[in-house]
Amino acid sequence: MSWKNRGFEQNSKSVVSRKWSLLLCIGCFCAGMLFSDRMWSVPEVNDVSSTKMVEDEKLNVVAEGCAPQNKDVHHESKDIMGEVSKTHHAIHTLDKTIASLEMELAAARAAHESTLSGSPVSDNSKASQSTGKRKYLMVVGINTAFSSRKRRDSVRATWLPQGDKRKKLEEEKGIIMRFVIGHSATTGGILDRAIEAEDRKHGDFLRLEHVEGYLELSAKTKTYFTTAVALWDADFYVKVDDDIHVNIATLGATLSSHRLKPRVYIGCMKSGPVLAQKGVKYHEPEYWKFGEEGNKYFRHATGQIYALSNDLATYISINQHVLHKYTNEDVSLGSWLIGLDVEHIDDRRLCCGTPPDCEWKAQAGNVCVASFDWTCSGICKSVERMKEVHRRCGEGENALWSAQR
């Protein structure tokens, strides 16, 4: 074969191979397009809008989820605060209940030990134990002396209900009221017989196993709380002097507002000077215990009127034999409580002045619990003035019977 023919054959083969290569490439491309479904087409508007709507819905869901959550958090915070308040109230109530149970247990042990040691038990205590106890709001002990018959009569004629009204006060309002007095140095003497005759007439005395004397007021106070706790189960025990004016309904309402609090000491708190000089009124023989000369006492309630919650009165009853007595009764009481976890409540309505002070306050709707003259540590000339103070500053008899227990 000639060289010319061979060149022609080679050219024909190369042309054919190029055509088959091109066709093969086109075929592969079409096959790839078919199987991968990747078309070079512009996305439709509907697809874009639907995608945007899905994204918007997602954002809305997130937004809606956040907003209610904030509201829920706000409501939940209110609910939590309410629960905290309820829990705090429940803890206070439980604390008081536990304290009362502890005091009652200690009192029972003390009574048991007293019985084993052969110590005498008063007739009043025996009667109380045999008949059982009911719950009272308050026991009001009116401190009095053998020479104070006229003072007692002035109180009976004004703010102390008599006869059936006093019994009704006990049964319906849970308020016990008694004049508190011990015995004379000569047991069964003329002074004791006079009190016994007066008690048979009025039936409003609480007799204590205590020898009367001005310098023995601290001991009398301990004996009063011990005896009152043994006889009556009350929320509060009140000590009152027989030469001041008291509005019983207002006193009851005031104490009721503190009923759920444990260890409460209520009165007009003061801090007078410690008097070291002999011969002066309210001289403090143990003045050196209170520091340098010129120092003042710790805060304590003035002695004309004050109230203790049940647990504190029971504490005094249980520990009466180891509680130190200072000359001044109100200082002694304050010292018995100063080292305890006690809430001191300073309520100035328990120490209003006599008219016009208590009268103005009553007209303004702020009725006083107690009224007296500071200069006399009671109402000056109380026998002559008690009715006047009662007329101008008294709460009215209806207030007592309409009061809620």
Side-chain angles (χ1 to χ4, degrees):
M1 183 179 291
S2 64
W3 289 105
K4 185 176 182 180
N5 292 334
R6 288 180 182 176
F8 175 78
E9 288 176 0
Q10 290 178 352
N11 289 337
S12 299
K13 289 179 180 179
S14 61
V15 171
V16 172
S17 61
R18 287 194 197 111
K19 290 180 180 180
W20 281 108
S21 298
L22 180 61
L23 290 174
L24 182 61
C25 290
I26 294 174
C28 291
F29 177 76
C30 292
M33 293 286 289
L34 178 65
F35 286 103
S36 64
D37 195 25
R38 294 185 178 181
M39 304 298 293
W40 292 96
S41 57
V42 179
E44 295 182 2
V45 178
N46 291 337
D47 293 338
V48 174
S49 61
S50 61
T51 304
K52 185 177 181 181
M53 288 176 64
V54 171
E55 293 178 353
D56 290 341
E57 287 177 1
K58 290 181 180 179
L59 292 174
N60 289 335
V61 169
V62 173
E64 289 174 0
C66 291
Q69 187 175 1
N70 290 335
K71 293 180 180 178
D72 291 342
V73 169
H74 182 67
H75 289 303
E76 286 176 4
S77 63
K78 286 186 176 180
D79 293 340
I80 291 172
M81 292 303 296
E83 291 299 323
V84 169
S85 178
K86 291 179 181 178
T87 303
H88 185 68
H89 178 75
I91 290 173
H92 271 291
T93 305
L94 183 60
D95 189 17
K96 183 175 181 180
T97 302
I98 293 173
S100 298
L101 291 174
E102 290 175 344
M103 292 297 185
E104 289 176 10
L105 179 60
R109 287 174 177 170
H112 181 64
E113 291 174 0
S114 178
T115 302
L116 292 177
S117 63
S119 300
V121 180
S122 67
D123 293 335
N124 288 332
S125 297
K126 291 178 181 178
S128 175
Q129 292 171 4
S130 63
T131 58
K133 290 185 178 181
R134 59 160 288 186
K135 191 70 175 180
Y136 294 92
L137 170 62
M138 61 181 178
V139 175
V140 181
I142 308 169
N143 185 45
T144 191
F146 289 112
S147 60
S148 300
R149 172 63 188 265
K150 290 184 178 180
R151 284 186 179 182
R152 292 192 292 272
D153 286 341
S154 70
V155 171
R156 292 182 180 116
T158 52
W159 55 269
L160 175 59
Q162 292 296 292
D164 292 338
K165 289 184 177 180
R166 184 170 56 82
K167 294 179 180 178
K168 181 181 178 182
L169 186 66
E170 296 176 5
E171 295 172 359
E172 296 185 5
K173 303 300 179 181
I175 299 175
I176 303 292
M177 301 182 69
R178 296 288 190 276
F179 287 107
V180 180
I181 195 167
H183 298 275
S184 65
T186 306
T187 305
I190 186 172
L191 295 177
D192 289 318
R193 293 199 301 271
I195 292 296
E196 290 168 2
E198 189 177 344
D199 193 24
R200 285 193 295 270
K201 180 179 179 180
H202 298 283
D204 54 6
F205 278 94
L206 171 61
R207 302 300 301 274
L208 305 177
E209 294 296 331
H210 165 79
V211 178
E212 286 291 322
Y214 180 77
L215 297 179
E216 297 298 325
L217 286 178
S218 294
K220 184 177 182 180
T221 299
K222 284 200 297 185
T223 306
Y224 159 63
F225 283 116
T226 300
T227 307
V229 167
L231 291 175
W232 300 288
D233 181 16
D235 290 322
F236 295 96
Y237 297 86
V238 186
K239 181 265 178 180
V240 179
D241 284 345
D242 62 1
D243 58 349
I244 73 171
H245 180 267
V246 179
N247 284 315
I248 298 301
T250 307
L251 173 61
T254 300
L255 297 183
S256 293
S257 66
H258 304 292
R259 214 168 188 171
L260 298 178
K261 299 177 182 178
R263 299 177 299 280
V264 175
Y265 175 31
I266 307 172
C268 286
M269 301 296 164
K270 66 175 185 178
S271 179
V274 180
L275 301 178
Q277 184 179 353
K278 293 183 178 180
V280 299
K281 191 176 183 180
Y282 306 127
H283 165 63
E284 178 56 71
E286 297 180 87
Y287 62 89
W288 61 273
K289 289 185 177 180
F290 298 92
E292 301 299 326
E293 185 175 350
N295 281 356
K296 291 185 176 182
Y297 289 111
F298 40 78
R299 288 283 174 184
H300 61 278
T302 185
Q304 287 83 353
I305 179 173
Y306 51 77
L308 298 180
S309 56
N310 182 290
D311 39 18
L312 293 183
T314 305
Y315 169 82
I316 293 174
S317 173
I318 295 169
N319 299 283
Q320 57 176 314
H321 300 298
V322 295
L323 295 176
H324 183 71
K325 302 184 296 295
Y326 290 98
T327 299
N328 299 306
E329 162 248 340
D330 53 352
V331 172
S332 293
L333 182 75
S335 71
W336 301 337
L337 306 177
I338 194 67
L340 304 180
D341 185 13
V342 174
E343 181 177 359
H344 290 60
I345 298 177
D346 182 22
D347 192 334
R348 310 314 289 185
R349 292 177 300 168
L350 273 72
C351 53
C352 295
T354 55
D357 180 51
C358 58
E359 185 177 22
W360 290 342
K361 291 176 180 177
Q363 291 173 354
N366 187 23
V367 178
C368 293
V369 173
S371 303
F372 56 88
D373 299 307
W374 283 102
T375 54
C376 298
S377 298
I379 297 176
C380 299
K381 299 181 179 180
S382 64
V383 174
E384 294 82 8
R385 295 182 58 217
M386 187 66 75
K387 286 187 177 180
E388 176 200 359
V389 175
H390 184 67
R391 177 179 60 82
R392 297 174 65 179
C393 300
E395 61 196 353
E397 187 174 357
N398 291 334
L400 181 58
W401 303 114
S402 61
Q404 297 293 324
R405 180 179 174 184

